[in-house]
Amino acid sequence: MRHHLAIVTALILAVGSLLTAAPSHAQSKSEIVIGVQCDRTGPTQIVGTVLCPAFHDYIALVNSRGGVDGHPIKAIEIDHEYKVPPAVESYERHKKEGAVTMAVYGTPQIYALTAKLTEDRIPGTSPGFGSAAAADGARYPFIFPIAATYWSQGAAAVDFVKKQLGGNLKGKKIAYIFYDNPAGREPIEVIEDLATKEGFQLKTFAVPPPGVEMGAQALDIAQRFRADFVIAHLFGGAPSVSIKEFKRVGYPLRKVVSFVWGAAEANIDGAGGFAVAEGYYAMQFAGVGTDYPVLNEIRDMYKKQGKEPPKEMASTVFYNRGVLIAALHVEAIRNALKAKPDGKLTGNDTKAGFEKISNFTLGGLVPPLKITATDHEGGGLVQIWQVKGGKFEKVTDWFAAYQDLVGKHIKEAAKK
């Protein structure tokens, strides 16, 4: 009898333990995959080696808090070295891994993948680069610039130059120096239209890849063309070279404004430091510096793990952008889960999630961002910062310029 009771009791305890364990097992939800492309070893590694770790740091922060509604986020990164064939291959690998959003890296890469993303119905982001026409969500339903495109950056640069030159560009000479690839050529048509509209003389100066030599262009701009202002659209190691060359030929850096990929601490360091680059203007689509709540949260996460915050955080321009891009992917997933809490998301679900992003600021890192089904850019807002006194100093608040003209180009692109 005692033996029989012992068996019954053991069975009851076993069943009870299974019942007790059941709820915790139910709380373990499926992971959601983001495909992340990067360049850590190619010509734009100066960006990728900071931006991509920042992306992962934000995902780690989210997962340290239980994921998104209990779903862990898995960000799978592949280094494509800024080459198109490996980018296409990485896309296919990410798709097989079940990625429901793609963080694409590079203008040639987003051009190559646009048809695939649309055909497979998976949203891909191209923040601050890529096809400016993709701001039109109706024509490009699965491409999300989610930051100022090169058309918006070109318009903002001209508007800033106009203000710097006293509010009138008639008869002024403006040089546009650019990396000679699809990304560098993208804004030319908008800047040409603005030259006609504002009455300035525009001259373009192409820099062949990899952009390590531009002495001839700098000399031509400074001594032959005698530009009143320079708009620079260079990236990778090229911005550093341009700063050194303009300095060498005696062209004042306070008359140079760079697009967003020549605007980081690494670009200044590569030119010889902040003292060398004094006066240089840089365009930003995310806040600069360390004083943002989300960055404090990442530092606290590392401290709780008994680790020092990563050295990449010191390069705040590219690091902050990486955090922002990751946060926008997570926000799209969060919005998608509201409609589909089981977590069985598709690219259609996350596309709808991106298009529900509204009043998104990430604690002041960006202005209130709103993405809609028709506007995948979010307003094209930028800030201008200047190298001054050994640091970046903010010069303007968030602004967008010539939106009617940019809108005209977007509409015309839809007809092609």
Side-chain angles (χ1 to χ4, degrees), residues 215-240:
Q217 293 91 332
L219 192 65
D220 201 4
I221 288 168
Q223 297 183 13
R224 295 187 183 90
F225 185 53
R226 295 184 180 275
D228 292 296
F229 224 97
V230 176
I231 296 172
H233 182 17
L234 302 162
F235 37 87
S240 300

Side-chain angles (χ1 to χ4, degrees), residues 96-119:
K96 286 179 182 176
E97 292 281 351
V100 291
T101 71
M102 300 278 190
V104 182
Y105 182 114
T107 294
Q109 289 73 17
I110 194 71
Y111 273 113
L113 289 170
T114 294
K116 286 182 176 291
L117 288 160
T118 305
E119 180 183 338

Side-chain angles (χ1 to χ4, degrees), residues 295-310:
L295 302 182
N296 291 332
E297 290 164 10
I298 290 171
R299 281 188 284 267
D300 288 343
M301 175 186 72
Y302 273 98
K303 288 175 184 175
K304 287 176 183 176
Q305 295 171 355
K307 301 175 183 177
E308 287 295 318

Side-chain angles (χ1 to χ4, degrees), residues 50-52 54-56 58 317-327:
V50 177
L51 186 147
C52 299
F55 193 108
H56 293 293
Y58 185 80
V317 171
F318 292 150
Y319 188 89
N320 293 3
R321 291 179 193 175
V323 168
L324 168 64
I325 297 163

